[in-house]
Amino acid sequence: QSVLTQPPSVSGAPGQRVTISCTGSSSNIGAGYHVHWYQQLPGAAPKLLIYGNNNRPSGVPDRFSGSKSGTSASLAITGLQAEDEANYYCQSYDTSLSGSVLFGEGTKLTVL
Amino acid sequence: QVQLQESGPGLVKPSGTLSLTCAVSGDSIRSNKWWSWVRQPPGKGLEWIGEIDYSGSTSYNPSLKSRVTISVDTSKNQFSLKVSSVTAADTAVYYCAREKPYSNPFYMDVWGKGTTVTVSS
């Protein structure tokens, strides 16, 4: 069971803005560890979307943005497109239980 | 263009050992990066298994540490995963990934396509 909590699902119409939250605690996000975000299209491997809380790798549209505050992080997607329909995962580090890289539970984005 | 390719048996018997290899092309495994394994059970989320650098330094998920070994072969530019005493709960798609050094945790910027491993008699 992950200690990074994400909503199981979010949805939005084409062109709208949606946000996906990633809620942690003082032993992970709140301790200052960075948050990275991945997009996993159906049947595909995960793809890096955001690194270091709010940085986009080359090739990722600026419709995708990340932020972090306190013990939580968020991924925002503006101008929703049909091809954004995917699962999204946050990633950080946790110092409890001997420390470990961990992923959030994942959020399924449905474009209506 | 960096590519990672997983390979290994798709079927492992319960109590046996799962063995996978990740071949790296387009980058040297000796470069200043780490190399990791991530798995995804059917219909579930991602689980980090562990990581290794070119010198053989490793870090493992505490929940799997007693059963997992990750090793590196610099001469073949590849790294490997072994999971012992497997059960049906180890059935998953296994991904290898390249980690870019960054402030903790590193991020995974290149992923293999994944390989499905089923544990069944």
Side-chain angles (χ1 to χ4, degrees), chain A residues 33-34 36 38 40 44-46 48 51-52 55 89 91-92 97 99-101, chain B residues 38 40 44-46 48 61-62 95 102-109 111-112:
Chain A
Y33 293 106
H34 282 91
H36 315 309
Y38 301 87
Q40 187 176 32
L48 179 67
Y51 68 92
N55 300 287
Y89 295 90
Q91 178 211 348
S92 189
L97 300 177
S100 178
V101 172
Chain B
V38 175
Q40 184 170 35
K44 296 187 178 181
L46 303 173
W48 179 74
N61 185 326
Y95 296 101
Y102 196 73
S103 185
N104 211 0
F106 299 161
Y107 59 85
M108 301 169 197
D109 68 331
W111 294 68

PDB file of all heavy atoms in Angstrom, chain A residues 33-34 36 38 40 44-46 48 51-52 55 89 91-92 97 99-101, chain B residues 38 40 44-46 48 61-62 95 102-109 111-112:
ATOM      1  N   TYR A  33      11.627  16.003  -0.393  1.00  0.00           N
ATOM      2  CA  TYR A  33      11.993  15.189  -1.544  1.00  0.00           C
ATOM      3  C   TYR A  33      11.194  15.623  -2.774  1.00  0.00           C
ATOM      4  O   TYR A  33      10.025  15.994  -2.684  1.00  0.00           O
ATOM      5  CB  TYR A  33      11.766  13.712  -1.248  1.00  0.00           C
ATOM      6  CG  TYR A  33      12.708  13.200  -0.181  1.00  0.00           C
ATOM      7  CD1 TYR A  33      12.258  12.943   1.112  1.00  0.00           C
ATOM      8  CD2 TYR A  33      14.061  13.010  -0.454  1.00  0.00           C
ATOM      9  CE1 TYR A  33      13.118  12.507   2.103  1.00  0.00           C
ATOM     10  CE2 TYR A  33      14.934  12.577   0.533  1.00  0.00           C
ATOM     11  CZ  TYR A  33      14.463  12.329   1.804  1.00  0.00           C
ATOM     12  OH  TYR A  33      15.322  11.907   2.777  1.00  0.00           O
ATOM     13  N   HIS A  34      11.854  15.547  -3.912  1.00  0.00           N
ATOM     14  CA  HIS A  34      11.204  15.953  -5.146  1.00  0.00           C
ATOM     15  C   HIS A  34      10.125  14.975  -5.566  1.00  0.00           C
ATOM     16  O   HIS A  34      10.102  13.808  -5.159  1.00  0.00           O
ATOM     17  CB  HIS A  34      12.234  16.075  -6.271  1.00  0.00           C
ATOM     18  CG  HIS A  34      13.028  17.333  -6.188  1.00  0.00           C
ATOM     19  ND1 HIS A  34      14.210  17.415  -5.504  1.00  0.00           N
ATOM     20  CD2 HIS A  34      12.806  18.562  -6.704  1.00  0.00           C
ATOM     21  CE1 HIS A  34      14.684  18.649  -5.592  1.00  0.00           C
ATOM     22  NE2 HIS A  34      13.857  19.365  -6.311  1.00  0.00           N
ATOM     23  N   HIS A  36       8.185  13.463  -9.035  1.00  0.00           N
ATOM     24  CA  HIS A  36       8.201  13.292 -10.491  1.00  0.00           C
ATOM     25  C   HIS A  36       6.852  12.693 -10.913  1.00  0.00           C
ATOM     26  O   HIS A  36       6.191  12.022 -10.125  1.00  0.00           O
ATOM     27  CB  HIS A  36       9.331  12.354 -10.927  1.00  0.00           C
ATOM     28  CG  HIS A  36      10.648  12.635 -10.261  1.00  0.00           C
ATOM     29  ND1 HIS A  36      11.218  13.903 -10.219  1.00  0.00           N
ATOM     30  CD2 HIS A  36      11.515  11.813  -9.599  1.00  0.00           C
ATOM     31  CE1 HIS A  36      12.368  13.844  -9.567  1.00  0.00           C
ATOM     32  NE2 HIS A  36      12.568  12.588  -9.167  1.00  0.00           N
ATOM     33  N   TYR A  38       4.639  10.590 -14.094  1.00  0.00           N
ATOM     34  CA  TYR A  38       4.711   9.727 -15.265  1.00  0.00           C
ATOM     35  C   TYR A  38       3.319   9.539 -15.855  1.00  0.00           C
ATOM     36  O   TYR A  38       2.321   9.471 -15.124  1.00  0.00           O
ATOM     37  CB  TYR A  38       5.294   8.354 -14.901  1.00  0.00           C
ATOM     38  CG  TYR A  38       6.683   8.442 -14.321  1.00  0.00           C
ATOM     39  CD1 TYR A  38       6.865   8.642 -12.955  1.00  0.00           C
ATOM     40  CD2 TYR A  38       7.811   8.377 -15.132  1.00  0.00           C
ATOM     41  CE1 TYR A  38       8.122   8.764 -12.412  1.00  0.00           C
ATOM     42  CE2 TYR A  38       9.088   8.494 -14.592  1.00  0.00           C
ATOM     43  CZ  TYR A  38       9.234   8.687 -13.229  1.00  0.00           C
ATOM     44  OH  TYR A  38      10.480   8.819 -12.702  1.00  0.00           O
ATOM     45  N   GLN A  40       1.144   6.910 -18.280  1.00  0.00           N
ATOM     46  CA  GLN A  40       1.141   5.562 -18.850  1.00  0.00           C
ATOM     47  C   GLN A  40      -0.090   5.387 -19.720  1.00  0.00           C
ATOM     48  O   GLN A  40      -1.212   5.243 -19.217  1.00  0.00           O
ATOM     49  CB  GLN A  40       1.186   4.486 -17.762  1.00  0.00           C
ATOM     50  CG  GLN A  40       1.353   3.082 -18.334  1.00  0.00           C
ATOM     51  CD  GLN A  40       1.491   2.018 -17.264  1.00  0.00           C
ATOM     52  OE1 GLN A  40       0.930   2.112 -16.178  1.00  0.00           O
ATOM     53  NE2 GLN A  40       2.263   0.973 -17.566  1.00  0.00           N
ATOM     54  N   ALA A  44       1.118   0.558 -22.667  1.00  0.00           N
ATOM     55  CA  ALA A  44       2.461   1.080 -22.910  1.00  0.00           C
ATOM     56  C   ALA A  44       3.251   1.210 -21.611  1.00  0.00           C
ATOM     57  O   ALA A  44       2.684   1.129 -20.515  1.00  0.00           O
ATOM     58  CB  ALA A  44       2.386   2.439 -23.594  1.00  0.00           C
ATOM     59  N   ALA A  45       4.545   1.415 -21.759  1.00  0.00           N
ATOM     60  CA  ALA A  45       5.397   1.679 -20.603  1.00  0.00           C
ATOM     61  C   ALA A  45       5.163   3.100 -20.106  1.00  0.00           C
ATOM     62  O   ALA A  45       4.720   3.976 -20.861  1.00  0.00           O
ATOM     63  CB  ALA A  45       6.856   1.499 -20.987  1.00  0.00           C
ATOM     64  N   PRO A  46       5.452   3.360 -18.841  1.00  0.00           N
ATOM     65  CA  PRO A  46       5.347   4.732 -18.336  1.00  0.00           C
ATOM     66  C   PRO A  46       6.299   5.653 -19.095  1.00  0.00           C
ATOM     67  O   PRO A  46       7.332   5.229 -19.612  1.00  0.00           O
ATOM     68  CB  PRO A  46       5.765   4.599 -16.870  1.00  0.00           C
ATOM     69  CG  PRO A  46       5.496   3.178 -16.526  1.00  0.00           C
ATOM     70  CD  PRO A  46       5.806   2.406 -17.782  1.00  0.00           C
ATOM     71  N   LEU A  48       8.118   9.626 -18.686  1.00  0.00           N
ATOM     72  CA  LEU A  48       8.375  10.756 -17.796  1.00  0.00           C
ATOM     73  C   LEU A  48       7.654  11.993 -18.301  1.00  0.00           C
ATOM     74  O   LEU A  48       7.806  12.379 -19.467  1.00  0.00           O
ATOM     75  CB  LEU A  48       9.876  11.014 -17.719  1.00  0.00           C
ATOM     76  CG  LEU A  48      10.311  12.187 -16.840  1.00  0.00           C
ATOM     77  CD1 LEU A  48      10.013  11.921 -15.369  1.00  0.00           C
ATOM     78  CD2 LEU A  48      11.802  12.475 -17.041  1.00  0.00           C
ATOM     79  N   TYR A  51       9.634  16.280 -13.976  1.00  0.00           N
ATOM     80  CA  TYR A  51      10.643  15.886 -13.008  1.00  0.00           C
ATOM     81  C   TYR A  51      10.985  17.073 -12.107  1.00  0.00           C
ATOM     82  O   TYR A  51      10.798  18.234 -12.489  1.00  0.00           O
ATOM     83  CB  TYR A  51      11.897  15.328 -13.691  1.00  0.00           C
ATOM     84  CG  TYR A  51      12.702  16.344 -14.480  1.00  0.00           C
ATOM     85  CD1 TYR A  51      13.754  17.033 -13.890  1.00  0.00           C
ATOM     86  CD2 TYR A  51      12.397  16.613 -15.813  1.00  0.00           C
ATOM     87  CE1 TYR A  51      14.491  17.956 -14.606  1.00  0.00           C
ATOM     88  CE2 TYR A  51      13.123  17.535 -16.531  1.00  0.00           C
ATOM     89  CZ  TYR A  51      14.176  18.195 -15.930  1.00  0.00           C
ATOM     90  OH  TYR A  51      14.893  19.123 -16.649  1.00  0.00           O
ATOM     91  N   GLY A  52      11.461  16.757 -10.919  1.00  0.00           N
ATOM     92  CA  GLY A  52      11.845  17.814  -9.997  1.00  0.00           C
ATOM     93  C   GLY A  52      10.715  18.771  -9.680  1.00  0.00           C
ATOM     94  O   GLY A  52      10.905  19.984  -9.667  1.00  0.00           O
ATOM     95  N   ASN A  55       9.433  20.547 -13.663  1.00  0.00           N
ATOM     96  CA  ASN A  55      10.230  20.648 -14.884  1.00  0.00           C
ATOM     97  C   ASN A  55       9.731  19.670 -15.942  1.00  0.00           C
ATOM     98  O   ASN A  55       9.477  18.494 -15.636  1.00  0.00           O
ATOM     99  CB  ASN A  55      11.702  20.348 -14.572  1.00  0.00           C
ATOM    100  CG  ASN A  55      12.279  21.321 -13.559  1.00  0.00           C
ATOM    101  OD1 ASN A  55      12.525  22.485 -13.871  1.00  0.00           O
ATOM    102  ND2 ASN A  55      12.465  20.858 -12.331  1.00  0.00           N
ATOM    103  N   TYR A  89       1.032   8.697 -12.611  1.00  0.00           N
ATOM    104  CA  TYR A  89       1.631   8.287 -11.349  1.00  0.00           C
ATOM    105  C   TYR A  89       2.606   9.354 -10.854  1.00  0.00           C
ATOM    106  O   TYR A  89       3.422   9.870 -11.638  1.00  0.00           O
ATOM    107  CB  TYR A  89       2.413   6.980 -11.501  1.00  0.00           C
ATOM    108  CG  TYR A  89       1.553   5.789 -11.857  1.00  0.00           C
ATOM    109  CD1 TYR A  89       1.316   5.453 -13.181  1.00  0.00           C
ATOM    110  CD2 TYR A  89       1.003   4.984 -10.859  1.00  0.00           C
ATOM    111  CE1 TYR A  89       0.523   4.357 -13.507  1.00  0.00           C
ATOM    112  CE2 TYR A  89       0.216   3.891 -11.171  1.00  0.00           C
ATOM    113  CZ  TYR A  89      -0.020   3.588 -12.500  1.00  0.00           C
ATOM    114  OH  TYR A  89      -0.796   2.493 -12.813  1.00  0.00           O
ATOM    115  N   GLN A  91       5.825  10.100  -8.147  1.00  0.00           N
ATOM    116  CA  GLN A  91       6.937   9.344  -7.580  1.00  0.00           C
ATOM    117  C   GLN A  91       7.711  10.245  -6.638  1.00  0.00           C
ATOM    118  O   GLN A  91       7.961  11.411  -6.947  1.00  0.00           O
ATOM    119  CB  GLN A  91       7.874   8.842  -8.686  1.00  0.00           C
ATOM    120  CG  GLN A  91       9.088   8.085  -8.180  1.00  0.00           C
ATOM    121  CD  GLN A  91      10.308   8.232  -9.072  1.00  0.00           C
ATOM    122  OE1 GLN A  91      10.242   8.717 -10.202  1.00  0.00           O
ATOM    123  NE2 GLN A  91      11.457   7.799  -8.591  1.00  0.00           N
ATOM    124  N   SER A  92       8.089   9.696  -5.497  1.00  0.00           N
ATOM    125  CA  SER A  92       8.944  10.443  -4.584  1.00  0.00           C
ATOM    126  C   SER A  92       9.777   9.453  -3.778  1.00  0.00           C
ATOM    127  O   SER A  92       9.957   8.303  -4.214  1.00  0.00           O
ATOM    128  CB  SER A  92       8.112  11.356  -3.676  1.00  0.00           C
ATOM    129  OG  SER A  92       8.955  12.228  -2.952  1.00  0.00           O
ATOM    130  N   LEU A  97      10.679   3.204   7.207  1.00  0.00           N
ATOM    131  CA  LEU A  97      10.909   1.797   6.847  1.00  0.00           C
ATOM    132  C   LEU A  97      12.177   1.620   6.013  1.00  0.00           C
ATOM    133  O   LEU A  97      12.165   1.021   4.942  1.00  0.00           O
ATOM    134  CB  LEU A  97       9.706   1.224   6.099  1.00  0.00           C
ATOM    135  CG  LEU A  97       8.376   1.235   6.855  1.00  0.00           C
ATOM    136  CD1 LEU A  97       7.257   0.718   5.970  1.00  0.00           C
ATOM    137  CD2 LEU A  97       8.483   0.419   8.127  1.00  0.00           C
ATOM    138  N   GLY A  99      13.718   3.579   4.140  1.00  0.00           N
ATOM    139  CA  GLY A  99      13.827   4.441   2.974  1.00  0.00           C
ATOM    140  C   GLY A  99      13.607   3.717   1.667  1.00  0.00           C
ATOM    141  O   GLY A  99      14.071   2.605   1.473  1.00  0.00           O
ATOM    142  N   SER A 100      12.879   4.348   0.773  1.00  0.00           N
ATOM    143  CA  SER A 100      12.610   3.708  -0.502  1.00  0.00           C
ATOM    144  C   SER A 100      12.005   4.691  -1.484  1.00  0.00           C
ATOM    145  O   SER A 100      11.272   5.597  -1.100  1.00  0.00           O
ATOM    146  CB  SER A 100      11.639   2.547  -0.299  1.00  0.00           C
ATOM    147  OG  SER A 100      11.326   1.930  -1.522  1.00  0.00           O
ATOM    148  N   VAL A 101      12.333   4.469  -2.744  1.00  0.00           N
ATOM    149  CA  VAL A 101      11.616   5.153  -3.812  1.00  0.00           C
ATOM    150  C   VAL A 101      10.194   4.588  -3.824  1.00  0.00           C
ATOM    151  O   VAL A 101       9.995   3.385  -3.607  1.00  0.00           O
ATOM    152  CB  VAL A 101      12.294   4.878  -5.173  1.00  0.00           C
ATOM    153  CG1 VAL A 101      11.442   5.410  -6.314  1.00  0.00           C
ATOM    154  CG2 VAL A 101      13.689   5.486  -5.192  1.00  0.00           C
TER     155      VAL A 101
ATOM    156  N   VAL B  38      11.252  -1.847 -12.154  1.00  0.00           N
ATOM    157  CA  VAL B  38       9.919  -1.489 -11.662  1.00  0.00           C
ATOM    158  C   VAL B  38       8.953  -2.565 -12.161  1.00  0.00           C
ATOM    159  O   VAL B  38       9.108  -3.048 -13.272  1.00  0.00           O
ATOM    160  CB  VAL B  38       9.486  -0.109 -12.199  1.00  0.00           C
ATOM    161  CG1 VAL B  38       8.043   0.217 -11.785  1.00  0.00           C
ATOM    162  CG2 VAL B  38      10.439   0.978 -11.730  1.00  0.00           C
ATOM    163  N   GLN B  40       4.676  -4.049 -12.388  1.00  0.00           N
ATOM    164  CA  GLN B  40       3.273  -3.641 -12.370  1.00  0.00           C
ATOM    165  C   GLN B  40       2.390  -4.893 -12.461  1.00  0.00           C
ATOM    166  O   GLN B  40       2.232  -5.471 -13.534  1.00  0.00           O
ATOM    167  CB  GLN B  40       2.978  -2.700 -13.537  1.00  0.00           C
ATOM    168  CG  GLN B  40       1.575  -2.139 -13.541  1.00  0.00           C
ATOM    169  CD  GLN B  40       1.406  -1.039 -14.578  1.00  0.00           C
ATOM    170  OE1 GLN B  40       1.995  -1.073 -15.657  1.00  0.00           O
ATOM    171  NE2 GLN B  40       0.618  -0.028 -14.245  1.00  0.00           N
ATOM    172  N   LYS B  44      -2.895  -3.185 -11.728  1.00  0.00           N
ATOM    173  CA  LYS B  44      -2.487  -2.418 -10.547  1.00  0.00           C
ATOM    174  C   LYS B  44      -1.441  -1.362 -10.899  1.00  0.00           C
ATOM    175  O   LYS B  44      -1.101  -1.173 -12.060  1.00  0.00           O
ATOM    176  CB  LYS B  44      -1.955  -3.361  -9.467  1.00  0.00           C
ATOM    177  CG  LYS B  44      -3.007  -4.329  -8.936  1.00  0.00           C
ATOM    178  CD  LYS B  44      -2.494  -5.115  -7.753  1.00  0.00           C
ATOM    179  CE  LYS B  44      -3.580  -6.035  -7.206  1.00  0.00           C
ATOM    180  NZ  LYS B  44      -3.105  -6.817  -6.024  1.00  0.00           N
ATOM    181  N   GLY B  45      -0.944  -0.685  -9.878  1.00  0.00           N
ATOM    182  CA  GLY B  45      -0.004   0.400 -10.077  1.00  0.00           C
ATOM    183  C   GLY B  45       1.441  -0.056 -10.136  1.00  0.00           C
ATOM    184  O   GLY B  45       1.754  -1.239 -10.131  1.00  0.00           O
ATOM    185  N   LEU B  46       2.336   0.934 -10.192  1.00  0.00           N
ATOM    186  CA  LEU B  46       3.763   0.682 -10.312  1.00  0.00           C
ATOM    187  C   LEU B  46       4.391   0.432  -8.951  1.00  0.00           C
ATOM    188  O   LEU B  46       4.039   1.076  -7.961  1.00  0.00           O
ATOM    189  CB  LEU B  46       4.444   1.895 -10.957  1.00  0.00           C
ATOM    190  CG  LEU B  46       3.908   2.319 -12.323  1.00  0.00           C
ATOM    191  CD1 LEU B  46       4.552   3.644 -12.755  1.00  0.00           C
ATOM    192  CD2 LEU B  46       4.173   1.243 -13.369  1.00  0.00           C
ATOM    193  N   TRP B  48       8.318   0.067  -7.304  1.00  0.00           N
ATOM    194  CA  TRP B  48       9.767   0.127  -7.476  1.00  0.00           C
ATOM    195  C   TRP B  48      10.398  -1.084  -6.810  1.00  0.00           C
ATOM    196  O   TRP B  48      10.096  -1.391  -5.654  1.00  0.00           O
ATOM    197  CB  TRP B  48      10.303   1.420  -6.864  1.00  0.00           C
ATOM    198  CG  TRP B  48      11.779   1.592  -6.954  1.00  0.00           C
ATOM    199  CD1 TRP B  48      12.494   1.908  -8.069  1.00  0.00           C
ATOM    200  CD2 TRP B  48      12.719   1.506  -5.892  1.00  0.00           C
ATOM    201  NE1 TRP B  48      13.825   2.017  -7.762  1.00  0.00           N
ATOM    202  CE2 TRP B  48      13.994   1.768  -6.425  1.00  0.00           C
ATOM    203  CE3 TRP B  48      12.625   1.219  -4.525  1.00  0.00           C
ATOM    204  CZ2 TRP B  48      15.160   1.770  -5.657  1.00  0.00           C
ATOM    205  CZ3 TRP B  48      13.776   1.220  -3.762  1.00  0.00           C
ATOM    206  CH2 TRP B  48      15.028   1.484  -4.330  1.00  0.00           C
ATOM    207  N   ASN B  61      13.867  -1.963  -2.591  1.00  0.00           N
ATOM    208  CA  ASN B  61      12.616  -1.747  -1.879  1.00  0.00           C
ATOM    209  C   ASN B  61      12.649  -2.625  -0.615  1.00  0.00           C
ATOM    210  O   ASN B  61      12.832  -3.839  -0.720  1.00  0.00           O
ATOM    211  CB  ASN B  61      11.445  -2.140  -2.787  1.00  0.00           C
ATOM    212  CG  ASN B  61      10.091  -1.850  -2.179  1.00  0.00           C
ATOM    213  OD1 ASN B  61       9.898  -1.954  -0.978  1.00  0.00           O
ATOM    214  ND2 ASN B  61       9.147  -1.502  -3.028  1.00  0.00           N
ATOM    215  N   PRO B  62      12.486  -2.026   0.551  1.00  0.00           N
ATOM    216  CA  PRO B  62      12.559  -2.822   1.787  1.00  0.00           C
ATOM    217  C   PRO B  62      11.591  -4.006   1.809  1.00  0.00           C
ATOM    218  O   PRO B  62      11.898  -5.043   2.398  1.00  0.00           O
ATOM    219  CB  PRO B  62      12.209  -1.804   2.880  1.00  0.00           C
ATOM    220  CG  PRO B  62      12.612  -0.493   2.310  1.00  0.00           C
ATOM    221  CD  PRO B  62      12.317  -0.595   0.846  1.00  0.00           C
ATOM    222  N   TYR B  95       9.510  -3.829 -15.789  1.00  0.00           N
ATOM    223  CA  TYR B  95      10.159  -2.801 -16.600  1.00  0.00           C
ATOM    224  C   TYR B  95      11.561  -2.527 -16.064  1.00  0.00           C
ATOM    225  O   TYR B  95      11.779  -2.494 -14.845  1.00  0.00           O
ATOM    226  CB  TYR B  95       9.385  -1.484 -16.522  1.00  0.00           C
ATOM    227  CG  TYR B  95       7.990  -1.504 -17.082  1.00  0.00           C
ATOM    228  CD1 TYR B  95       6.883  -1.608 -16.240  1.00  0.00           C
ATOM    229  CD2 TYR B  95       7.760  -1.362 -18.451  1.00  0.00           C
ATOM    230  CE1 TYR B  95       5.587  -1.593 -16.743  1.00  0.00           C
ATOM    231  CE2 TYR B  95       6.470  -1.341 -18.969  1.00  0.00           C
ATOM    232  CZ  TYR B  95       5.391  -1.462 -18.101  1.00  0.00           C
ATOM    233  OH  TYR B  95       4.113  -1.450 -18.606  1.00  0.00           O
ATOM    234  N   TYR B 102      19.666  13.193  -9.846  1.00  0.00           N
ATOM    235  CA  TYR B 102      18.968  14.429  -9.539  1.00  0.00           C
ATOM    236  C   TYR B 102      18.855  14.466  -8.033  1.00  0.00           C
ATOM    237  O   TYR B 102      19.210  13.533  -7.354  1.00  0.00           O
ATOM    238  CB  TYR B 102      17.584  14.410 -10.203  1.00  0.00           C
ATOM    239  CG  TYR B 102      16.896  15.746 -10.296  1.00  0.00           C
ATOM    240  CD1 TYR B 102      17.330  16.707 -11.207  1.00  0.00           C
ATOM    241  CD2 TYR B 102      15.801  16.054  -9.488  1.00  0.00           C
ATOM    242  CE1 TYR B 102      16.695  17.922 -11.301  1.00  0.00           C
ATOM    243  CE2 TYR B 102      15.163  17.274  -9.575  1.00  0.00           C
ATOM    244  CZ  TYR B 102      15.608  18.204 -10.488  1.00  0.00           C
ATOM    245  OH  TYR B 102      14.971  19.403 -10.583  1.00  0.00           O
ATOM    246  N   SER B 103      18.336  15.505  -7.500  1.00  0.00           N
ATOM    247  CA  SER B 103      18.088  15.508  -6.062  1.00  0.00           C
ATOM    248  C   SER B 103      17.134  14.360  -5.751  1.00  0.00           C
ATOM    249  O   SER B 103      16.251  14.060  -6.551  1.00  0.00           O
ATOM    250  CB  SER B 103      17.475  16.839  -5.658  1.00  0.00           C
ATOM    251  OG  SER B 103      17.327  16.914  -4.257  1.00  0.00           O
ATOM    252  N   ASN B 104      17.318  13.686  -4.650  1.00  0.00           N
ATOM    253  CA  ASN B 104      16.561  12.491  -4.314  1.00  0.00           C
ATOM    254  C   ASN B 104      15.056  12.679  -4.445  1.00  0.00           C
ATOM    255  O   ASN B 104      14.524  13.655  -3.933  1.00  0.00           O
ATOM    256  CB  ASN B 104      16.906  12.085  -2.878  1.00  0.00           C
ATOM    257  CG  ASN B 104      16.829  10.592  -2.666  1.00  0.00           C
ATOM    258  OD1 ASN B 104      16.520   9.848  -3.575  1.00  0.00           O
ATOM    259  ND2 ASN B 104      17.077  10.165  -1.460  1.00  0.00           N
ATOM    260  N   PRO B 105      14.367  11.782  -5.079  1.00  0.00           N
ATOM    261  CA  PRO B 105      14.838  10.590  -5.783  1.00  0.00           C
ATOM    262  C   PRO B 105      15.231  10.919  -7.221  1.00  0.00           C
ATOM    263  O   PRO B 105      14.819  11.934  -7.775  1.00  0.00           O
ATOM    264  CB  PRO B 105      13.616   9.680  -5.780  1.00  0.00           C
ATOM    265  CG  PRO B 105      12.476  10.639  -5.892  1.00  0.00           C
ATOM    266  CD  PRO B 105      12.885  11.855  -5.098  1.00  0.00           C
ATOM    267  N   PHE B 106      16.025  10.039  -7.822  1.00  0.00           N
ATOM    268  CA  PHE B 106      16.332  10.191  -9.237  1.00  0.00           C
ATOM    269  C   PHE B 106      15.046   9.981 -10.031  1.00  0.00           C
ATOM    270  O   PHE B 106      14.115   9.326  -9.577  1.00  0.00           O
ATOM    271  CB  PHE B 106      17.354   9.156  -9.674  1.00  0.00           C
ATOM    272  CG  PHE B 106      18.681   9.259  -8.955  1.00  0.00           C
ATOM    273  CD1 PHE B 106      19.560   8.195  -8.949  1.00  0.00           C
ATOM    274  CD2 PHE B 106      19.055  10.419  -8.297  1.00  0.00           C
ATOM    275  CE1 PHE B 106      20.781   8.281  -8.297  1.00  0.00           C
ATOM    276  CE2 PHE B 106      20.276  10.522  -7.631  1.00  0.00           C
ATOM    277  CZ  PHE B 106      21.141   9.436  -7.640  1.00  0.00           C
ATOM    278  N   TYR B 107      15.012  10.515 -11.230  1.00  0.00           N
ATOM    279  CA  TYR B 107      13.839  10.272 -12.057  1.00  0.00           C
ATOM    280  C   TYR B 107      14.193   9.319 -13.188  1.00  0.00           C
ATOM    281  O   TYR B 107      15.336   9.212 -13.600  1.00  0.00           O
ATOM    282  CB  TYR B 107      13.251  11.584 -12.599  1.00  0.00           C
ATOM    283  CG  TYR B 107      14.179  12.426 -13.454  1.00  0.00           C
ATOM    284  CD1 TYR B 107      14.323  12.186 -14.819  1.00  0.00           C
ATOM    285  CD2 TYR B 107      14.881  13.488 -12.896  1.00  0.00           C
ATOM    286  CE1 TYR B 107      15.154  12.974 -15.596  1.00  0.00           C
ATOM    287  CE2 TYR B 107      15.717  14.274 -13.662  1.00  0.00           C
ATOM    288  CZ  TYR B 107      15.850  14.017 -15.012  1.00  0.00           C
ATOM    289  OH  TYR B 107      16.671  14.798 -15.779  1.00  0.00           O
ATOM    290  N   MET B 108      13.177   8.609 -13.668  1.00  0.00           N
ATOM    291  CA  MET B 108      13.369   7.580 -14.689  1.00  0.00           C
ATOM    292  C   MET B 108      12.998   8.159 -16.045  1.00  0.00           C
ATOM    293  O   MET B 108      11.811   8.340 -16.347  1.00  0.00           O
ATOM    294  CB  MET B 108      12.507   6.361 -14.338  1.00  0.00           C
ATOM    295  CG  MET B 108      12.875   5.789 -12.976  1.00  0.00           C
ATOM    296  SD  MET B 108      11.699   4.570 -12.373  1.00  0.00           S
ATOM    297  CE  MET B 108      12.129   4.526 -10.639  1.00  0.00           C
ATOM    298  N   ASP B 109      14.007   8.440 -16.858  1.00  0.00           N
ATOM    299  CA  ASP B 109      13.736   9.145 -18.107  1.00  0.00           C
ATOM    300  C   ASP B 109      13.642   8.244 -19.327  1.00  0.00           C
ATOM    301  O   ASP B 109      13.152   8.677 -20.366  1.00  0.00           O
ATOM    302  CB  ASP B 109      14.783  10.250 -18.332  1.00  0.00           C
ATOM    303  CG  ASP B 109      16.166   9.704 -18.608  1.00  0.00           C
ATOM    304  OD1 ASP B 109      16.493   8.594 -18.116  1.00  0.00           O
ATOM    305  OD2 ASP B 109      16.938  10.389 -19.312  1.00  0.00           O
ATOM    306  N   TRP B 111      12.547   4.168 -20.409  1.00  0.00           N
ATOM    307  CA  TRP B 111      11.973   2.903 -19.948  1.00  0.00           C
ATOM    308  C   TRP B 111      12.035   1.850 -21.057  1.00  0.00           C
ATOM    309  O   TRP B 111      11.926   2.172 -22.239  1.00  0.00           O
ATOM    310  CB  TRP B 111      10.502   3.085 -19.567  1.00  0.00           C
ATOM    311  CG  TRP B 111      10.257   3.962 -18.380  1.00  0.00           C
ATOM    312  CD1 TRP B 111      10.467   5.313 -18.294  1.00  0.00           C
ATOM    313  CD2 TRP B 111       9.725   3.556 -17.115  1.00  0.00           C
ATOM    314  NE1 TRP B 111      10.101   5.766 -17.042  1.00  0.00           N
ATOM    315  CE2 TRP B 111       9.640   4.710 -16.306  1.00  0.00           C
ATOM    316  CE3 TRP B 111       9.295   2.331 -16.588  1.00  0.00           C
ATOM    317  CZ2 TRP B 111       9.154   4.668 -14.988  1.00  0.00           C
ATOM    318  CZ3 TRP B 111       8.806   2.296 -15.279  1.00  0.00           C
ATOM    319  CH2 TRP B 111       8.741   3.456 -14.499  1.00  0.00           C
ATOM    320  N   GLY B 112      12.176   0.595 -20.650  1.00  0.00           N
ATOM    321  CA  GLY B 112      11.997  -0.490 -21.584  1.00  0.00           C
ATOM    322  C   GLY B 112      10.510  -0.689 -21.846  1.00  0.00           C
ATOM    323  O   GLY B 112       9.660  -0.086 -21.168  1.00  0.00           O
TER     324      GLY B 112
END
